[in-house]
Amino acid sequence: MLIQLDISKAFDTIPHKAIDPALRRLGIPSTLRSSIINSYVSINTNIEYKGSRVEVQLRRGVKQGDPLSPFLFNSIMNPLQEQLEELRGYKIDETQSTSSLAFTDDLILVADDMEKAQLLPTATEKYLYSMGMKIASNKCTSLQVQTTRDSCYISNRLTSYNW
């Protein structure tokens, strides 16, 4: 089973309060951590409409175009990936398994049976919910791959070739 999940407005919804714990967890020195956190303190924007102007404090989202933003996003998502890997979604061999493939804000969950396939998105949704984030269900999909007698035959034949 493959489950492709889209995190709704992933970079825009990262809570600023999650940055310090994520950086602390990675062992980032306190002086560097403070500099990063201070760059997210008291960020405001102004909204103007029909002559009225309102100042709004931003408490979510990493900075667009900032080279540090993907690192911050990944730092905050690392605990989720570690949690997913503990569920051992797809067994590769007796000692190796994988449960997720991630590239920036794209997440693919991998499981070798339906029971595990149901646990993975549930754990993902729970983690995201704890962060005030959510899955864009209309942008998600799943795929089930089943081995057939013909696919085994073709697969075995292909592995005998010298590529």
Side-chain angles (χ1 to χ4, degrees):
M1 294 288 303
L2 300 170
I3 304 164
Q4 188 274 323
L5 297 180
D6 183 83
I7 301 169
S8 182
K9 300 181 180 178
F11 282 78
D12 298 337
T13 58
I14 289 292
H16 294 171
K17 67 181 180 184
I19 295 172
D20 185 43
L23 296 176
R24 224 178 255 277
R25 190 171 180 275
L26 293 173
I28 303 296
S30 62
T31 52
L32 179 55
R33 213 173 54 241
S34 293
S35 293
I36 295 168
I37 294 162
N38 287 337
S39 74
Y40 281 91
V41 172
S42 299
I43 298 177
N44 298 308
T45 190
N46 293 307
I47 299 174
E48 289 186 36
Y49 180 73
K50 294 185 179 182
S52 295
R53 183 176 169 168
V54 176
E55 186 174 72
V56 177
Q57 185 176 11
L58 302 177
R59 295 187 178 119
R60 293 188 162 276
V62 289
K63 298 173 183 175
Q64 201 171 44
D66 184 344
L68 193 57
S69 293
F71 172 77
L72 293 175
F73 178 80
N74 288 338
S75 300
I76 290 166
M77 298 306 287
N78 277 346
L80 169 62
Q81 284 200 266
E82 290 172 5
Q83 182 182 1
L84 292 173
E85 291 308 317
E86 287 177 14
L87 295 174
R88 298 182 50 88
Y90 180 78
K91 187 176 174 183
I92 297 169
D93 60 29
E94 294 304 315
T95 61
Q96 301 293 315
S97 67
T98 189
S99 295
S100 65
L101 306 168
F103 182 74
T104 57
D105 61 341
D106 294 320
L107 186 61
I108 297 176
L109 306 177
V110 186
D112 52 19
D113 63 47
M114 190 62 78
E115 184 180 325
K116 289 178 190 172
Q118 291 173 337
L119 291 173
L120 297 172
T122 301
T124 302
E125 188 173 38
K126 184 177 179 181
Y127 180 82
L128 293 175
Y129 182 80
S130 76
M131 296 293 215
M133 301 169 74
K134 61 183 180 177
I135 295 170
S137 57
N138 61 325
K139 294 182 179 179
C140 299
T141 189
S142 64
L143 170 70
Q144 183 175 4
V145 178
Q146 292 183 326
T147 305
T148 64
R149 184 177 54 199
D150 292 339
S151 67
C152 287
Y153 172 72
I154 292 169
S155 174
N156 289 336
R157 240 183 49 199
L158 289 176
T159 57
S160 67
Y161 287 113
N162 232 349
W163 296 97

